Amino acid sequence: FLKTNCTSDSSTYLLHRNKGETSIQLFDISSISQTRQRKWVWWLALCSYRFACRLEQLQANTLAPDDNVTRRDYRKRQRSLLYNTLNLLEELSDMDGGRHETISAAVCEHLADSYLWRTADEDMTHQPQASNATGIQTYASSKQPYRNVNVDCLNKAQDHLNNALAFLMPLLSKAKEDNSPLEIEALTAQLYGIHHKIINVCLRLADHHLGSYSSSNLIGTLRTAAKTLADAASLLGTMSAFNAGGDNDDQLYGMSIIQQHAWLWEYCGHFGRS
């Protein structure tokens, strides 16, 4: 039935069955969205986003660790769905359907994560020390995530994370102007998580640049990490979880940025020695 009716290339279909019924309905969502009705464009954007998130969950929970072929295929399909989501949200914005910046930022973060997918395995295999091509022992390198991610993927992830910041920063400024505490809290937490990933990406890039004797790239990466650290520190002042104190979970925000600060200084020291 599906092979007979799902004939349009690169189209999205919805197979629907009401509860308690045996009959099914097949909808060509791509054709429906071409009518340029905002509700269908919005629905298709959310549908693509949910499918992409489902693929991410399947990679984490069901695939065997050594099934690289299927994992690569899932990542490719996931990115295609996420890019489709961004395009549909942009189209919806052009139709005066709102910009939906927080969702767009979340999509950009998922795109970045698709290039940083090895982090779960790395966190289970920390080594006490690591050395790069310069022979310098870097304690920070052994503790940071993204150990097995190459420079190209790190740069792509950083670009997507910067796009996420571009969506959210104007919203935070507006929320502060409107004096909206709940909105400020939510946006700050989302922004802090993105800043945290950017810093880790920059520090991992610094380790690559230190190993390849690329001093100009290393200086630029360390400066970006330092600026992002400063921005992340300023966000902590508006987060009630951090200001409350006492709870171990609340202290994780402060501890994470302190560790990143120490790692940054370590790389600066190694750069000076090299």
Side-chain angles (χ1 to χ4, degrees), residues 86-117:
L86 287 176
N87 291 334
L88 288 167
L89 290 175
E90 184 177 356
E91 181 181 344
L92 187 64
S93 177
D94 293 338
M95 298 165 63
D96 296 327
R99 293 195 62 197
H100 304 284
E101 293 94 336
T102 55
I103 297 178
S104 297
V107 173
C108 291
E109 189 171 359
H110 279 289
L111 277 169
D113 290 339
S114 72
Y115 291 99
L116 306 172
W117 62 276

Side-chain angles (χ1 to χ4, degrees), residues 11-215:
S11 293
T12 302
Y13 293 88
L14 171 67
L15 190 65
H16 176 71
R17 179 180 66 85
N18 290 322
K19 183 178 181 180
E21 296 182 3
T22 57
S23 61
I24 59 174
Q25 294 174 299
L26 182 67
F27 298 93
D28 186 347
I29 303 302
S30 298
S31 296
I32 294 174
S33 66
Q34 290 174 5
T35 61
R36 292 190 61 80
Q37 294 183 15
R38 283 183 296 184
K39 64 177 181 179
W40 289 114
V41 176
W42 168 246
W43 187 90
L44 184 56
L46 287 185
C47 193
S48 296
Y49 181 45
R50 288 170 181 170
F51 288 157
C53 292
R54 177 59 178 162
L55 282 173
E56 186 175 4
Q57 293 173 358
L58 288 174
Q59 291 181 67
N61 301 325
T62 63
L63 291 184
D66 57 347
D67 191 358
N68 294 324
V69 175
T70 305
R71 195 180 298 275
R72 191 179 301 111
D73 180 61
Y74 277 20
R75 288 200 305 274
K76 182 178 179 181
R77 291 164 58 189
Q78 179 192 358
R79 289 169 190 159
S80 177
L81 287 165
L82 291 171
Y83 282 123
N84 187 50
T85 302
L86 287 176
N87 291 334
L88 288 167
L89 290 175
E90 184 177 356
E91 181 181 344
L92 187 64
S93 177
D94 293 338
M95 298 165 63
D96 296 327
R99 293 195 62 197
H100 304 284
E101 293 94 336
T102 55
I103 297 178
S104 297
V107 173
C108 291
E109 189 171 359
H110 279 289
L111 277 169
D113 290 339
S114 72
Y115 291 99
L116 306 172
W117 62 276
R118 289 190 175 92
T119 56
D121 296 334
E122 293 169 5
D123 290 342
M124 301 298 293
T125 58
H126 283 159
Q127 301 296 326
Q129 280 189 327
S131 60
N132 50 40
T134 62
I136 297 175
Q137 297 293 324
T138 54
Y139 177 82
S141 176
S142 68
K143 293 299 182 180
Q144 292 164 9
Y146 317 144
R147 182 183 302 115
N148 296 324
V149 182
N150 60 41
V151 172
D152 182 58
C153 288
L154 288 170
N155 284 324
K156 290 178 179 177
Q158 186 177 7
D159 289 340
H160 288 301
L161 291 171
N162 286 331
N163 290 339
L165 291 184
F167 280 114
L168 293 179
M169 292 305 295
L171 284 183
L172 182 60
S173 299
K174 186 177 184 303
K176 290 180 177 179
E177 291 176 2
D178 297 340
N179 194 22
S180 177
L182 291 178
E183 190 173 358
I184 292 173
E185 179 84 10
L187 289 169
T188 300
Q190 189 176 1
L191 280 165
Y192 182 83
I194 296 171
H195 278 79
H196 191 266
K197 288 183 180 179
I198 292 177
I199 297 166
N200 281 332
V201 168
C202 287
L203 293 175
R204 180 55 61 190
L205 282 170
D207 190 62
H208 282 288
H209 297 325
L210 183 65
S212 62
Y213 300 95
S214 181
S215 59

